[in-house]
Amino acid sequence: MSANERATRALREILQNPGNDACADCGAPDPGWGSCSLGVFICLACSGIHRNIPDISKVKSLSLSRWEDHEMQNGNELMKSKYEAAVPVYYYKPTHKDCQVLREQWIREGTRDGMLMKRGRDNGQFLSRRFVLLEREGTLKYFTKYDAKEPKAVIKVDSINATFQPEKIGNPNGLQITYLKDYSTRNMFVYHENGKEIVDWFNAIRAVQLHYLKVAFPGATDAELVPKLTRNFLKEGYMEKTGPRQTEGFKKRWFTLDHRRLMYLKDPLDAYAKGEVFLGSRDHGYNVSLGLPAGTHCNGAWQHGITIETPERLFLFTCEMESDQQEWVKHFNNVMNAPMSPQEYTMEAMFKHRP
């Protein structure tokens, strides 16, 4: 028996399993098509919708196409239990008797595809870019052209933070998206002229993050998971800092405190931070104090010092105003007084061993 014959025979056997005799999406009997990337069997009408979302679903005929072994390992019941587990109870699940728009939105649920204005990393110009959010993959992709076959970036949603920054971006609908790339934080600045559209993107990112967390932590409640979604930065603003030898001159930098990550940039709209400091808990050797160590040469005009101590080194900063100094120290203390989660221990190790 040839490999093709074995695959055809295996496909027939899988189709006999419970649930595979009806379309996974609308329930129509005797599906003639399948999504080999998702491992579900679907009717002709739903297969047309799947074809329009090639980033998610690759469609094959059950009778005319060749199927590989790895494409037949799931089935409708298994995949529905996975993908529909977190669907809100108020969502209407259409049948094959319902209109096209109901079926299409049901199939597309968990995805978002559209154009956003994105700031160029090097030239600072905002240009229209296509973004695709995929719940099944847990990724956000963006493409430099609408019809581009390969994305410019694939971002895992578990590393994303998103926060509205209208003043910084210079647009009332400005959204800053940060994520980890090669052990460093990448900043991306986007907006949409329609306020509802950018808010829908923001909430869609949070929805995909929540779905990811429910899979990763099946016993956790919504109340426990929601704080792990996107969050506003604890504080942003200018401080001056010196280098690791503490003999270099103090230079003005823009600082962003995103929970335990303190990032500093030359400009608030830089794509990458010039450096980052991980702020662990106090019982692991992290501390903050007002002022600078005795003998520190402070060449700058700002005199309100802050010293952060980590297990590896001291970081020295100065603020222009005493009120800024007090507020930064308050936030640093709050972060260091909080116990670290298992994920934060992993982040701490990443910071220590990154190149």
Side-chain angles (χ1 to χ4, degrees), residues 25 46 49-50 53 103-109 136:
D25 292 319
C46 290
I49 301 171
H50 279 254
I53 44 176
R103 281 186 291 162
E104 182 167 350
Q105 292 309 308
W106 170 260
I107 292 170
R108 287 181 174 272
E109 176 56 32
R136 291 181 174 97

Side-chain angles (χ1 to χ4, degrees), residues 40-55:
V40 295
F41 304 107
I42 51 181
C43 68
L44 175 62
C46 290
S47 73
I49 301 171
H50 279 254
R51 279 198 185 89
N52 289 328
I53 44 176
D55 294 302

Side-chain angles (χ1 to χ4, degrees), residues 49-292:
I49 301 171
H50 279 254
R51 279 198 185 89
N52 289 328
I53 44 176
D55 294 302
I56 303 169
S57 190
K58 182 180 178 183
V59 175
K60 286 185 177 183
S61 166
L62 298 183
S63 57
L64 301 177
S65 302
R66 177 174 177 175
W67 287 66
E68 306 296 335
D69 291 342
H70 68 274
E71 297 172 337
M72 300 179 292
Q73 296 177 356
N74 295 316
N76 289 359
E77 294 300 312
L78 176 63
M79 300 316 289
K80 285 162 71 174
S81 68
K82 176 182 177 182
Y83 291 136
E84 298 178 17
V87 173
V89 294
Y90 60 82
Y91 267 59
Y92 176 74
K93 181 174 181 179
T95 71
H96 60 284
K97 297 180 180 179
D98 282 306
C99 61
Q100 171 83 359
V101 68
L102 276 172
R103 281 186 291 162
E104 182 167 350
Q105 292 309 308
W106 170 260
I107 292 170
R108 287 181 174 272
E109 176 56 32
T111 72
R112 189 170 186 86
D113 188 333
M115 307 298 288
L116 295 173
M117 299 299 291
K118 175 188 171 294
R119 187 178 191 272
R121 183 184 67 182
D122 300 319
N123 59 20
Q125 292 183 326
F126 280 90
L127 298 172
S128 182
R129 295 290 182 253
R130 181 187 177 205
F131 285 78
V132 179
L133 180 67
L134 303 174
E135 181 180 272
R136 291 181 174 97
E137 292 183 8
T139 60
L140 174 67
K141 303 177 182 180
Y142 86 86
F143 301 78
T144 54
K145 296 181 180 179
Y146 186 83
D147 57 354
K149 293 183 178 180
E150 296 296 327
K152 178 71 172 178
V154 179
I155 308 162
K156 299 295 288 184
V157 295
D158 60 324
S159 76
I160 286 178
N161 191 18
T163 178
F164 281 93
Q165 297 279 1
E167 293 183 8
K168 184 193 294 186
I169 295 173
N171 185 284
N173 304 330
L175 186 71
Q176 180 176 347
I177 297 172
T178 64
Y179 60 96
L180 290 178
K181 180 181 179 183
D182 301 328
Y183 302 102
S184 296
T185 299
R186 167 80 158 92
N187 297 311
M188 190 159 56
F189 304 96
V190 299
Y191 72 86
H192 196 283
E193 292 297 346
N194 185 298
K196 182 180 183 304
E197 182 74 10
I198 197 68
V199 171
D200 286 348
W201 272 102
F202 174 70
N203 283 321
I205 290 171
R206 289 173 60 86
V208 172
Q209 286 182 324
L210 183 61
H211 177 85
Y212 172 87
L213 289 168
K214 284 187 172 182
V215 173
F217 305 100
T221 65
D222 284 355
E224 292 171 321
L225 296 178
V226 166
K228 299 179 183 295
L229 305 182
T230 62
R231 61 210 169 265
N232 292 329
F233 298 139
L234 295 177
K235 183 171 173 59
E236 287 193 291
Y238 282 107
M239 290 192 289
E240 291 184 338
K241 71 172 292 294
T242 187
R245 293 191 299 273
Q246 298 164 20
T247 56
E248 305 92 332
F250 279 77
K251 295 180 180 179
K252 185 178 177 181
R253 295 288 183 253
W254 177 266
F255 284 82
T256 297
L257 180 59
D258 186 2
H259 194 46
R260 291 198 185 276
R261 296 209 310 270
L262 177 65
M263 298 164 275
Y264 52 94
L265 309 90
K266 193 171 183 179
D267 184 274
L269 292 173
D270 283 347
Y272 288 97
K274 291 186 71 67
E276 301 181 52
V277 183
F278 179 83
L279 304 181
S281 59
R282 203 172 296 280
D283 55 359
H284 280 77
Y286 295 84
N287 200 10
V288 60
S289 57
L290 293 168
L292 302 175

